[in-house]
Amino acid sequence: MGMQVTIHEASRLLREKQISSVELTKGYLERINQVEPKVRAMVTVTDEVALEQARRADESIAAGNGSPLTGIPIAIKDVICTRGVRTTCSAKMLENFVPPYDATVMEKLNADGAVMVGKANMDEFAMGSSTENSALFPTHNPWDLGRVPGGSSGGSAVAVAAGEAVAALGSDTGGSIRQPAGFCSVVGLKPTYGRVSRYGLVAFASSLDQIGPLSQDVTDCAIIMNAIAGHDKRDSTSIPEPVPDYTKCLKADLKGMRLGVPKEYYVEGMQPEVAEAMKAAHKKLEELGAVLEETSLPSTPYALAVYYIIAPSEASANLARYDGVKYGYSYAGDSMWESLEKTRGNGFGPEVKRRIMLGTYALSAGYYDAWYVKAQRVRTLIRREFDAAFEKYDALITPTSPTVPFKIGEKTDDPLAMYLSDVCTLPINIAGVPGISVPAGFADGLPIGMQIIGKHFGEETLLRIAYAYEQATEWHKRRVEV
Amino acid sequence: MKLSREEVLHIARLARIDLTEEEITRYSEQLSNLLENFEVLQQVDTTDVPPTAQSVDLQSIMREDGVAPSLPADDILANAPRREGDCFRVRAVFE
């Protein structure tokens, strides 16, 4: 069938009755069947749910109702709770967990009539940068099946890139939407912390986690943001700010925009092809009317350490809930302690255990001030530097990752090398600001992403810059053969 | 910064994770290596810099206490590894 349409294209076809949602959905399910043996992006294909939702979407459209998402096939990262549909977090611990409720973002997508075609693979509990930490199976990058798709939302990014879904939801704690978006040549947005409700998102690091869209273009990203953003009384960290119409800010010029280029993100060790692609992107942004200027965020080199103390500390607390009593994998030992320790020893994978251990250490008596509180203080410095930068600039421009996608297995034995692939995306979560990755070129057929960083609630500015750049380039139109 | 076998076992005990011998050795090396790299933080002058726990300026969010339906017990217990009536079945805490 090979149909690959954007949300705005599909929505028009549906409204003009050129296609029904059932037809569209069947096409995508067929495509999943076809490419899934090669890319393995899906943990669960939800064909029955999808066809039922598609039938209802068709009724709603026939009655003249519906939203831009009505009838659109979408993939959901398997960390987002879906009522009655297994939500595994790609973890042995939750392999058979069926949530009794929907995440707020799912309630919103369902109310809009979206169609869920599947639950997408990820690094176990969203901890990783390559989707190789999935306890179920690794996902392959469609641009080169021997390479990783990035992570942790690797399944979501591949589902969009390989045409298994029109768009997808992911989650981003340190780059988990943007880095795989960059590695797979799709658009990925991490919203401002608190912009999208985290209710029903299985918790990894609660002060850093955000849900966001992965899509084929910037317009689709804006459409999904319209659907999922907003305050939720069930998430006390969600912000009671009105949600603008994000599609209204998409303008094809950047006249008067001031963009900062923070030199610390253009580091040694950055692949030369990525540096070249970024130079070309800077030039393009200038042609569109923006004024670019080199700037400095001097605390950037400390972001990796700050992140890998704070995120594991929060994870060690959040993952204490997996005790084999209420849900999930459970080891039946002779005593309570044996049951608990073997449940967690057998049920968690190597990276999850590594991070729980790291976090437990940083929070433990005698080390709490020296590691955890110290990291929180440096977090303040990083945040202040972003605040100061946004006094001068509308946005900051960086690469999404210092390299193109690496080979499967290349970094699995070296945690630090793996962590470094998120070096450009981590500081954004630390500061809580929004960041978007857009396709910005290829090196030997492998995707390169550009990251645009904005101030708190600066999503409209990010989308405008991303849209103008996209309209002036062809990268997002390049489709991958699988 | 080198984590001894005893320190790794202490952390594992705090985290309630049973580790194999091979894991004890591997985590001792890997965690030591990571912490050594993270020591750069000690160079940063943070005198008079307050810690940031979260990045947006919300504090002590309160709401009215109200009555609303909760999920049915059966829906919650459907995921229980071991169940007895409307209860989760657990190993004895006190022997």
Side-chain angles (χ1 to χ4, degrees), chain A residues 53 143 153 169 187 256 348 359 366 431:
Chain A
Q53 287 175 329
W143 295 94
S153 309
L169 288 188
V187 175
F348 291 133

Side-chain angles (χ1 to χ4, degrees), chain B residues 1 7 13 19-20 35 68 73 75:
Chain B
M1 192 71 238
E7 283 172 303
R13 170 123 180 102
L19 296 180
T20 63
L35 289 168
D75 288 11

